[in-house]
Amino acid sequence: SQWASVSKSPIARGRHLRSEAMAESAAPAPDEDVPFDMAQFDQVLALPALLLPAQRVGELQKVGKLKELFYRRRNMRNVLPAEGENSAGFKLMVLQPGTVREALPEAAQQLLDSGVAQFVTHEMRVGYEQTTAEEAALCGERESSVCPGVL
């Protein structure tokens, strides 16, 4: 029959051999008895931030040197509503860990010097949802059940 000749062709044999090789090299199924603990990624970070009136956020977001200092993490905003008493109408611009007041660009310095903005520390919870694949792999290689310092 016509199908018999196709299966004997070199192309068909090559496909068959490739599919067999792929089946043999496939990774074994993950061990289903080992639960994945997402809590190992949970951390609270103390990050520097600017507390400023909401109407002033837009002008600072346009400053290129300040953009470089924004805290960037997967699934997280770097501009948040301020919390606590007298926080209505204020926002927090969260900055990279280790950012010092002196490293801020002139526009932010002027707001701080005039008293319009404040340089504060903001505690931010981060967890598995904010973890990249590379960070998760690093955490999986550690023997500890907690992964401090990965985030």
Side-chain angles (χ1 to χ4, degrees):
S1 85
Q2 103 187 56
W3 298 112
S5 65
V6 170
S7 66
K8 294 179 181 178
S9 75
I11 295 172
R13 273 185 270 143
R15 285 187 195 141
H16 178 71
L17 292 175
R18 269 196 310 263
S19 65
E20 280 184 358
M22 288 173 51
E24 290 175 9
S25 68
D31 188 0
E32 294 179 18
D33 295 331
V34 179
F36 181 71
D37 183 17
M38 290 192 305
Q40 67 183 332
F41 297 95
D42 293 343
Q43 293 182 53
V44 177
L45 302 176
L47 299 170
L50 291 174
L51 176 66
L52 65 157
Q55 66 266 22
R56 305 302 292 265
V57 170
E59 70 185 75
L60 286 183
Q61 284 182 316
K62 295 175 187 173
V63 177
K65 291 187 180 195
L66 187 59
K67 278 184 183 180
E68 295 171 8
L69 298 175
F70 286 163
Y71 181 69
R72 294 198 189 332
R73 168 112 349 241
R74 181 177 168 246
N75 294 329
M76 294 191 83
R77 296 183 179 270
N78 51 24
V79 177
L80 306 169
E83 301 167 348
E85 291 183 32
N86 303 324
S87 64
F90 284 85
K91 299 278 185 178
L92 282 168
M93 294 182 83
V94 185
L95 305 172
Q96 293 288 334
T99 301
V100 293
R101 181 182 171 141
E102 294 75 25
L104 298 174
E106 185 62 31
Q109 291 287 348
Q110 289 175 353
L111 290 176
L112 290 168
D113 293 342
S114 68
V116 173
Q118 296 176 26
F119 192 75
V120 298
T121 300
H122 174 68
E123 287 190 353
M124 184 175 277
R125 292 191 168 286
V126 292
Y128 178 75
E129 295 81 22
Q130 292 80 32
T131 305
T132 64
E134 293 82 19
E135 292 166 340
L138 282 173
C139 191
E141 293 173 2
R142 296 186 181 188
E143 293 179 18
S144 169
S145 63
V146 181
C147 293
V150 171
L151 303 174

